[in-house]
Amino acid sequence: MEKKNILALSITLILALAIGVTASHFISEYSQVYKICVSEAGVAVKAADFFRKSGENAYFTTDSQPFDLSKPGEYTVRLRNGWFTYKSTLIIEDTIPPHADAVIVKRLINTPLDPNDFVAGITDATPVTVSFVENPDNTAGGLKNVDIRLTDISGNQTIITSKLQLSELADNVTIEAGAPLPNINNFVIIAEEAQFANDYNHINTALPGEYIINILIDGMPYETILHIIDTIPPTFSAANISGFSLLPRNAEDFVTDYFDISPLTFSFEKEPDLTYIGTRDITIIARDAGGNEARQTVQLTLLADTEPPEIKGVVDFNVQAGDTIAYKKNAVAIDNNPIGLEFIVDQSAVLVNTVGSYPVTYIARDFAGNETKKTITLTVVEKKYDLDEVYAKADEVLARIVTEDMSEREILWAIYRYNQYNIFFEPTSEKETWVRAAYEGLFDRRGDCYVYACTAKVLLDRAGIKNEDIEKIVTSRRHYWHLVDIGDGWYHYDTTPRSDHPTIFMWTDEQLMEYSAESYNSHRYDRDIYPADRRPIN
């Protein structure tokens, strides 16, 4: 800021001429400060500006009258410089009119207008009032000029010409259900550019309702409403029904054909009495999504059901202990009214794992409560374990865990992992035959070391890998495992999991004996009972 723009020294002659006095009336040649300083609103004022000579260290005292650079007026100020305090007058005046940029406003017809929307970036040192020079007509569409007056606090004015684009948007559009969706011209009457802003084309006109439609008009977003109404009642056909009493009935059961553009619901005008034996009229009501109704009167004839069901295909039969029993495999219940027919088997007396004869009762009960019972004898016999069945199951397992490109060692490892992860250890098992133990390992997937060993045996045999059974010298507990040979001698192979988690896979005799000695002779066996060509490698 140049000093001459704000100090009275530079404007003394102007003031003197304006009021008809000499400059000396305002300035004393012996005074250190200017008695009057004039500043344009918004221009910063410092205490030093009031001193004729050096006043760099001057400041306004606390009792100096506060002044606001954005409010023109006359202020008495007090200044301190060194040992002395001075008094002067500050005049803040506003002579510069405000400035702003014109804005094009886009609105709907009959929308209230705010003059502030037509200008942007207003600049002035004092507050500015924005108003219309003449209120624009907002009732007719099109593009028109709008003059905006900017007036600052001192009365300085600027006129800015902006533009107003008025478009006409329908408050709502109504169509009959099933009619095509209206196009943009049905919603917008006047607009340079208009388009739907939402997923408009996915509205289902078969569903009556009120839908908010978002529309962009000349880039501005607006909302309107699409009303889909259904004023046309449905049509339908219905037929008489004859059947047994007590059975539940729905209104839809009587309807044979129907049409409406919107979804239909069917109901009874009055719920029928389903205990009544005879014929009565009932009225069916069809109601569409728009609330339109149609009615049809039909007859419902109800008959008493006194005939009990029949039970067929029920005979005495045998099962093997432990087998799953299909009690209804050949049994069937028949009734003149199959709706709601219950067919129950009471096998509560059967002990499927214990050999013996047990009663099994079949009960058929229809919806009317008529009941028939028939009791047969189920005999549980000792289970027979079939080697072919065990082989087939072993082949099925190998097909899942073995591929053609595997080496014999890889096949051994696949079998080892299968046993470890697919058989649940139980401390005891029947040692009747190895076939039974292998069956329990493959089908029941549980058992002790004998089950693990026999399961490994059948898998090794079916995979074509040479193996020999091996048994621990009997002490307090028995234990079973294998010797296997894949071309480079015999090795120990034990798939039974142990609490310390060893991986006894292709172990030499020395490895196993060292482990056995540290594990309470877990694998001590009689080496001499094996021929020299079948003894494990040391």
Side-chain angles (χ1 to χ4, degrees), residues 6 32 35 39 44 52 60 117 129 142-143 176-177 197 205 228 279 288 295 342 377 395 419 449 452 466 469 520:
I6 68 164
Q32 295 294 315
K35 296 303 179 181
S39 176
R52 297 179 61 197
F60 296 106
D117 294 336
T129 301
L143 184 66
E176 182 70 29
T205 62
I228 300 177
T279 301
D288 64 22
R295 296 167 183 259
E342 293 181 284
T377 298
D395 292 343
N419 273 17
C449 64
Y452 278 86
K466 292 196 300 182
D469 301 339
Y520 306 99

Side-chain angles (χ1 to χ4, degrees), residues 19-173:
I19 63 176
V21 296
T22 64
S24 62
H25 182 80
F26 296 95
I27 304 176
S28 171
E29 60 179 339
Y30 302 106
S31 177
Q32 295 294 315
V33 299
Y34 298 104
K35 296 303 179 181
I36 298 175
C37 287
V38 179
S39 176
E40 182 69 28
V43 178
V45 175
K46 305 189 298 294
D49 297 331
F50 290 80
F51 285 83
R52 297 179 61 197
K53 295 182 180 180
S54 176
E56 285 77 7
N57 297 320
Y59 58 89
F60 296 106
T61 64
T62 57
D63 59 346
S64 178
Q65 182 181 359
F67 54 86
D68 186 344
L69 294 173
S70 66
K71 293 183 179 179
E74 184 175 306
Y75 302 88
T76 299
V77 296
R78 296 179 65 82
L79 311 113
R80 182 81 173 181
N81 189 19
W83 294 98
F84 301 100
T85 300
Y86 305 91
K87 185 171 71 171
S88 183
T89 299
L90 171 64
I91 297 174
I92 298 175
E93 60 182 19
D94 183 10
T95 63
I96 302 173
H99 174 77
D101 297 322
V103 174
I104 298 177
V105 174
K106 298 176 180 180
R107 292 290 185 270
L108 295 178
I109 289 176
N110 296 320
T111 299
L113 300 175
D114 185 343
N116 290 283
D117 294 336
F118 290 79
V119 290
I122 297 174
T123 57
D124 196 80
T126 65
V128 175
T129 301
V130 182
S131 61
F132 293 117
V133 173
E134 183 178 339
N135 287 332
D137 178 9
N138 66 345
T139 64
L143 184 66
K144 58 191 69 180
N145 292 333
V146 176
D147 291 330
I148 304 297
R149 178 186 290 111
L150 306 179
T151 306
D152 65 19
I153 200 169
S154 296
N156 302 300
Q157 292 188 356
T158 301
I159 305 298
I160 293 178
T161 300
S162 300
K163 291 187 180 297
L164 172 62
Q165 172 70 54
L166 288 174
S167 301
E168 187 168 345
L169 176 67
D171 291 336
N172 62 81
V173 173

Side-chain angles (χ1 to χ4, degrees), residues 397-398 401-402 406 408-423 452 455-457 459-460 463 465 479 481-482 484 492-498 500-507 512 515 523:
V397 170
L398 289 171
I401 67 173
V402 173
M406 282 186 177
E408 286 191 311
R409 185 181 182 89
E410 290 172 329
I411 294 172
L412 277 174
W413 179 243
I415 294 172
Y416 186 92
R417 286 174 58 83
Y418 176 83
N419 273 17
Q420 290 252 317
Y421 289 106
N422 290 276
I423 301 175
Y452 278 86
T455 304
K457 173 182 177 62
L459 292 171
L460 293 169
I465 295 177
H479 188 60
W481 69 98
H482 283 87
V484 294
H492 290 282
Y493 182 82
D494 185 356
T495 64
T496 302
R498 301 181 66 83
D500 54 346
H501 308 295
T503 303
I504 305 176
F505 176 78
M506 302 294 284
W507 277 15
L512 186 62
Y515 172 79
H523 290 76

Side-chain angles (χ1 to χ4, degrees), residues 179-193:
L181 280 169
N183 59 37
I184 195 70
N185 293 328
N186 295 107
F187 291 94
V188 183
I189 298 174
I190 299 174
E192 289 185 358
E193 183 180 348

Side-chain angles (χ1 to χ4, degrees), residues 198-213:
N198 57 357
D199 202 4
Y200 177 72
N201 291 327
H202 286 74
I203 295 175
N204 185 358
T205 62
L207 299 177
E210 183 177 284
Y211 300 85
I212 295 177
I213 307 300

